[in-house]
Amino acid sequence: MRNDIEELTRKGEEVPAGKLDAFKRSFEIISYNPYIREFLEAEAAFAMFFAKIQQIIAESLTQLNPAGAQPSTNGSHEPVPQESTD
């Protein structure tokens, strides 16, 4: 259920109210268990931490190549050699 909601959100589609309500009810019920609540809080904290790391990496890569990465034309992940103007 959670994956369905996340996928719809990533696609920019509207999540049906019924599906969202069912998810909220399920989340509320399982949150009564203190161990599960603690796990979910830790998972959320980790997700925020990981997102921050990804943001830092993306900013660093942008600083290394401010013009943006040029896509490879040779089908590999290696940089495409630039032609010499000498």
Side-chain angles (χ1 to χ4, degrees):
M1 184 177 347
R2 177 180 170 183
N3 292 337
D4 295 339
I5 293 172
E6 287 177 352
E7 184 176 340
L8 288 171
T9 304
R10 274 194 303 272
K11 290 179 180 178
E13 297 177 15
E14 187 174 331
V15 179
K19 185 173 278 208
L20 197 53
D21 289 340
F23 177 75
K24 287 179 181 179
R25 278 194 305 274
S26 297
F27 187 78
E28 183 180 323
I29 291 168
I30 63 172
S31 292
Y32 289 135
N33 182 319
Y35 299 110
I36 293 175
R37 182 177 44 245
E38 184 178 349
F39 170 79
L40 293 173
E41 289 170 354
E43 181 186 30
F46 176 77
M48 289 174 30
F49 177 71
F50 193 71
K52 183 65 177 174
I53 290 172
Q54 288 179 319
Q55 179 185 6
I56 291 169
I57 291 170
E59 289 172 359
S60 298
L61 292 174
T62 302
Q63 291 173 359
L64 288 174
N65 187 6
Q70 297 300 317
S72 171
T73 58
N74 61 6
S76 73
H77 295 292
E78 297 296 318
V80 176
Q82 300 296 317
E83 293 181 21
S84 177
T85 57
D86 298 310

